[in-house]
Amino acid sequence: MKTICLYFEIHQIIHLKRYRFFDIGTDHYYYDDYENERSISYIAEHSYMPALDTLLQMIKENGKYFKVAFSLSGVGMEQLEVHAPQVLDKLQELNNTGCVEFLAEPYSHGLSSLANPESFAADVKKQAEKIKEYFGKKPTVFRNSSLIYSDDIGLQVAQMGFKGMLTEGAKHVLGWKSPHYVYNCALAPNLKLLLRDIKLSDDISLRFNNHDWNEFPLFADKYVDEIAAFPEEEEVINIFMELSALGIAQPLSSNILDFLHAIPACAKAKGITFSTPSEVCKNHKSVAALDVPDTLSWVDEERDVSCWLGNPMQREAFDKLYSIADRVRIANDPRINIDWDYLQASNNFRFMTTKPSNVGLDRGIYSSPFDAFTNYMNILSDFMNRVNDLYPDDIDNDELNSLLTTIKNQGDDLEMKEKEIERLQTKISKMQEAEDRLRARLEKEKGKSAASKEKAKATHSTKKAKAEPKAKATAEAKAETPAEEKK
């Protein structure tokens, strides 16, 4: 039976302000608060809220039949907390239906998976904890920033304990294979891979309102018919996109939400179900390992990482940023950590791209890739100075590695102790429960014993009360008998 796995990404760009060379060392605040508030408020009003309302209505109308998944970057959630908390409230309402799954991803929506395994692991752990804090459940399926994936990244994700991962169904990786099966990581067979159907996803997110498209206009029944026409053995249809596609990339005036709303009824008529990513991983076996030695993503025609690291400016900025990754982790300063998350965000490197793209790129305040590079490097220079003030750069690598090893060992020890404490607390709780049950049983038996004694005492008193008149009568009779005999 075919099943549709529908997933939406929610991430918000953190806009940097114009930062000049002469600001280095004097101004440590890097963000355009006005633009951040304006942009997220606009997206929340014209995309997030209408789209989430529609998805909630679809769940209410279809019960447990319709299901959907989301992932939220940590930096995006921070912006929502400040400027659009109603979006998080609506997501919690969706979560309460039991038909929604939330996935893990890097907190920063950055490229740490390409640079520093320790930073990558910390980035993912931080976001997973925030998701659990909001929605009450730790994610079991992972999606990397822009679906970035390779065999090595898959191995790291598997080592973090995830059961599945989303990535792109790129033609240069799949070849003749179909994305409509579940695959597994070549280096970690237990990590299942869910591959995005590029055409079906982009039909909605990129082409829906394109009047020059040869399939325009696209209707829900035609869309579902295309899915139903796939070979019977191709059971998993993964449709992944940004939530902002509904309302921003494809305006509400295009009736994109009416199209989405009609899909479940059309799918049900064709015997097609909906599943969350974790359900797909649970219910479908992997058909084969997927070999991905080179990194892929869902961006641009090449489906690789060249949009972030394709020119010397981008690579210089990237290398410079992650050259201090270990020092940032050692410093563990709250203000530094916030800036670290925001400066890692992949859009900072995307603005520097010189590649032509079929998807429009809004560079914001920047007039050119070089302008974006210059502004970012000015900010990064100030940030690096602050990090080095906390952890001087004259400390050699051996000492740094020694400190990192010590920190890691301490972290492992703390984790083991926390698990032991948790085990002991569970054991104590069970013993307390057993003691409470035993005490209740003893109290009950004691109550029964007391009741039995009271009953016996009452019975004895009754018998005694009945016996006393008889005894008195007998005694009186005996007392009268001698007098009669004398007469």
Side-chain angles (χ1 to χ4, degrees), residues 58 62 65 224 260-272 274:
M58 292 163 68
N62 294 279
Y65 168 75
V224 172
L260 184 70
H261 182 266
I263 288 179
C266 296
K268 188 180 290 186
K270 294 289 184 178
I272 300 171
F274 287 83

Side-chain angles (χ1 to χ4, degrees), residues 339-356:
D339 293 335
W340 174 248
D341 290 334
Y342 294 170
L343 293 178
Q344 283 189 90
S346 61
N347 55 275
N348 292 315
F349 303 95
R350 175 78 161 148
F351 292 149
M352 303 175 199
T353 186
T354 52
K355 284 179 59 180

Side-chain angles (χ1 to χ4, degrees), residues 66-127:
F66 177 71
K67 297 172 184 178
V68 64
F70 298 94
S71 74
L72 296 86
S73 68
V75 296
M77 292 179 75
E78 289 182 9
Q79 292 295 297
L80 291 172
E81 288 170 340
V82 175
H83 302 301
Q86 69 273 19
V87 175
L88 293 172
D89 292 339
K90 184 62 67 174
L91 285 167
Q92 288 177 320
E93 187 177 352
L94 279 158
N95 181 56
N96 293 336
T97 65
C99 298
V100 176
E101 179 177 5
F102 291 91
L103 311 185
E105 70 164 72
Y107 191 94
S108 65
H109 198 270
L111 307 174
S112 55
S113 61
L114 303 175
N116 189 293
E118 290 77 14
S119 293
F120 179 47
D123 214 6
V124 174
K125 182 179 179 181
K126 185 176 180 180
Q127 188 268 359

Side-chain angles (χ1 to χ4, degrees), residues 15 45 56 87 92 148 150 155 184 197 220 236 264 285-286 297 313 367 376 404 408 425 455 459 479 481:
H15 295 274
E45 179 182 354
L56 182 60
V87 175
Q92 288 177 320
I148 292 173
S150 69
L155 177 59
N184 65 267
D197 184 301
V236 181
K285 293 182 179 180
S286 169
S297 76
M313 291 185 298
S367 59
Y376 183 80
L404 286 173
K408 184 179 185 303
Q425 287 176 337
K455 186 176 180 181
T459 303
T481 300

Side-chain angles (χ1 to χ4, degrees), residues 296-311:
L296 62 85
S297 76
W298 71 357
V299 179
D300 291 346
E301 290 297 325
E302 294 84 358
R303 312 288 173 183
D304 58 14
V305 296
S306 57
C307 66
W308 303 287
L309 302 175
N311 65 47

Side-chain angles (χ1 to χ4, degrees), residues 1-8 65-69 180 194 197 200-201 204 220 223-228 230 234-241 260 262-268 270-277 279-280 284:
M1 179 182 291
K2 287 182 171 56
T3 191
I4 296 173
C5 181
L6 184 62
Y7 152 81
F8 295 100
Y65 168 75
F66 177 71
K67 297 172 184 178
V68 64
H180 304 146
L194 279 60
D197 184 301
L200 290 174
S201 300
I204 299 176
Y223 188 78
V224 172
D225 285 345
E226 184 176 349
I227 294 174
F230 290 134
E234 296 187 11
E235 296 184 340
V236 181
I237 316 299
N238 298 310
I239 302 172
F240 306 157
M241 69 191 78
L260 184 70
I263 288 179
C266 296
K268 188 180 290 186
K270 294 289 184 178
I272 300 171
T273 64
F274 287 83
S275 299
T276 62
E279 288 176 338
V280 172
H284 293 80

